[in-house]
């Protein structure tokens, strides 16, 4: 009986192996039939990337994974940032992750070409997997952050969306035209901490501009600053210039510059002093009276460079 059993077992295993080879052969044939060369106009590496792209999606943050890609002993993968977030335990099976790299998946990623994540917003470009992330950080189609200062607003969107948001949610003043004349009054000019005062949005040359005016401490000295930001990319902002003027008692200060894009944060522009800066003593001198109340009139103009 023993030999007979052995023969049956070997025969069974042989059939199983043969069956597996048949399945593998069918799968291989199916793979060859689905090669991109059979579909004119489809780029190599793009026809079957949807499933692979899902494999490269981190199960925790759902972002695309970039090396190092980690895996648990059971083969579940996740990105390096989320490995720390889940305290080195697999979010799928709870096994300890250790330091196992999924080199095969990293190698697969190198062969992929994928569209920019902002394709839905108009970006037509396709990139190798590892170049895609760098491009997306600078893509001109990526959403803009809300330019409103003085609050932690996390709204993002295109320019029309942000203009509507500023008007409806932040109650920002909206003006048409390329010249402005604003008066800023403050009864206690000693108070400057967190004193972001005003944002005004101008519709000019078919574009939108943000005029900021605020108070802050420069070292120990209170200062007032006005500057303009362009609601668009930096390359477009350079097509415009603006001037600001403030004065009184027969004196005036004039600033002329190029508006900064709202891609640069409000704080970045302010901390670079890229605008009209007026020290408190000069501002009080311009205000006249008993120098106890701030009354500044700021005029300005925006023009398009030829």
């Amino acid at each position: 009986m023993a030999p007979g059993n052995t023969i049956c077992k070997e025969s069974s295993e042989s059939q199983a192996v043969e069956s597996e080879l048949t399945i593998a052969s069918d799968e291989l044939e199916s793979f060859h039939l689905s090669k991109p060369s059979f579909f004119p106009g489809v780029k190599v590496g793009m026809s079957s990337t949807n499933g692979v792209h899902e494999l490269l999606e981190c199960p925790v943050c759902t972002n695309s994974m970039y090396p190092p890609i980690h895996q648990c002993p059971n083969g579940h993968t996740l990105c390096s940032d989320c490995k720390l977030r889940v305290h080195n335990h697999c979010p799928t099976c709870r096994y300890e992750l250790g330091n196992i790299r999924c080199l095969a998946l990293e190698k697969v990623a190198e062969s992929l070409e994928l569209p920019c994540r902002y394709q839905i917003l108009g970006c037509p470009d396709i990139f190798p997997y590892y170049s895609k992330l760098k491009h997306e950080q600078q893509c001109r189609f990526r959403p803009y952050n809300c330019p409103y200062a003085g609050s932690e607003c996390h709204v993002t969107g295109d320019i029309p969306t942000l203009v509507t948001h500023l008007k409806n949610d932040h109650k920002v003043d909206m003006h048409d035209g390329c010249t402005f004349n604003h008066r800023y009054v403050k009864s206690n000019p000693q108070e400057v901490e967190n004193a972001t005062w005003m944002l005004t949005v101008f519709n000019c040359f078919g574009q939108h501009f943000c005029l900021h005016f605020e108070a802050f401490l420069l070292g120990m000295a209170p200062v007032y600053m006005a500057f303009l930001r362009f609601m668009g990319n930096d390359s477009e902002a350079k097509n415009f210039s603006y001037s600001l003027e403030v004065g009184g008692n027969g004196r005036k200060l004039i600033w002329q510059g190029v508006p900064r894009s709202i891609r640069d944060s409000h704080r970045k522009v302010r901390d670079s002093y890229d605008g009209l800066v007026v020290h408190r003593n000069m501002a009080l001198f311009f205000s006249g009276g008993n120098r106890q109340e701030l009354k500044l009139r700021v005029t300005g103009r925006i023009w398009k460079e030829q």
Side-chain angles (χ1 to χ4, degrees):
M1 292 297 292
N5 286 342
T6 303
I7 293 172
C8 289
K9 183 177 181 182
E10 288 175 351
S11 175
S12 176
E13 288 177 351
S14 176
Q15 290 175 1
V17 172
E18 185 176 333
S19 176
E20 288 174 1
L21 288 173
T22 302
I23 293 172
S25 177
D26 291 342
E27 289 176 346
L28 185 60
E29 182 179 356
S30 174
F31 170 78
H32 285 302
L33 288 174
S34 64
K35 284 177 66 176
S37 57
F38 284 83
F39 300 91
V42 179
K43 294 190 68 173
V44 174
M46 287 300 296
S47 62
S48 59
T49 58
N50 288 341
V52 178
H53 189 232
E54 290 178 4
L55 290 175
L56 288 165
E57 185 178 276
C58 176
V60 179
C61 66
T62 70
N63 293 325
S64 296
M65 294 186 290
Y66 292 85
I69 298 175
H70 296 275
Q71 69 175 30
C72 76
N74 290 325
H76 304 125
T77 58
L78 78 166
C79 70
S80 56
D81 289 340
C82 290
K83 181 175 183 286
L84 298 174
R85 194 176 302 167
V86 298
H87 306 294
N88 203 38
H89 282 80
C90 176
T92 304
C93 65
R94 307 309 302 166
Y95 266 77
E96 187 172 353
L97 289 167
N99 292 306
I100 307 173
R101 290 270 296 275
C102 188
L103 300 179
L105 197 55
E106 292 179 7
K107 193 69 176 177
V108 169
E110 293 178 359
S111 66
L112 294 183
E113 288 187 339
L114 299 171
C116 172
R117 68 183 296 184
Y118 304 120
Q119 183 184 54
I120 193 173
L121 299 178
C123 183
D125 297 326
I126 294 173
F127 297 90
Y129 189 79
Y130 291 119
S131 301
K132 178 174 172 284
L133 184 63
K134 183 177 180 180
H135 159 78
E136 289 172 350
Q137 292 172 345
Q138 299 296 327
C139 179
R140 63 189 180 94
F141 292 96
R142 72 191 190 278
Y144 296 90
N145 296 322
C146 173
Y148 191 82
S151 69
E152 293 297 324
C153 182
H154 299 291
V155 170
T156 63
D158 59 15
I159 299 304
T161 298
L162 290 184
V163 170
T164 301
H165 164 68
L166 289 170
K167 180 180 179 180
N168 296 337
D169 298 330
H170 293 297
K171 310 302 179 185
V172 168
D173 289 335
M174 301 281 177
H175 292 276
D176 292 325
C178 300
T179 60
F180 44 90
N181 187 336
H182 286 308
R183 190 165 179 260
Y184 301 98
V185 178
K186 187 171 178 62
S187 59
N188 185 1
Q190 305 293 331
E191 297 178 357
V192 296
E193 188 174 358
N194 298 322
T196 299
W197 285 1
M198 186 177 292
L199 172 65
T200 306
V201 174
F202 294 91
N203 181 10
C204 176
F205 297 110
Q207 305 288 343
H208 289 87
F209 300 82
C210 297
L211 175 65
H212 297 265
F213 184 85
E214 62 185 79
F216 62 97
L217 289 174
L218 181 57
M220 297 298 293
V223 298
Y224 307 98
M225 183 174 178
F227 57 91
L228 199 72
R229 288 201 291 166
F230 175 74
M231 296 188 70
N233 285 315
D234 184 64
S235 58
E236 300 172 274
K238 293 176 181 178
N239 295 326
F240 300 91
S241 295
Y242 74 102
S243 64
L244 296 173
E245 181 178 309
V246 62
N249 284 336
R251 279 86 170 172
K252 68 172 63 173
L253 288 176
I254 299 175
W255 164 268
Q256 180 174 319
V258 176
R260 297 277 285 273
S261 165
I262 60 172
R263 293 288 190 203
D264 290 337
S265 69
H266 158 269
R267 181 175 293 277
K268 180 178 180 180
V269 180
R270 191 196 73 178
D271 290 351
S272 67
Y273 313 120
D274 193 1
L276 176 67
V277 179
V278 185
H279 289 265
R280 184 181 62 185
N281 287 339
M282 181 62 74
L284 291 175
F285 180 76
F286 288 156
S287 301
N290 58 9
R291 298 170 61 89
Q292 298 301 310
E293 185 178 39
L294 183 72
K295 296 179 180 179
L296 285 181
R297 184 176 297 278
V298 177
T299 61
R301 181 172 70 93
I302 305 168
W303 65 92
K304 192 171 184 177
E305 296 291 348
Q306 300 299 323

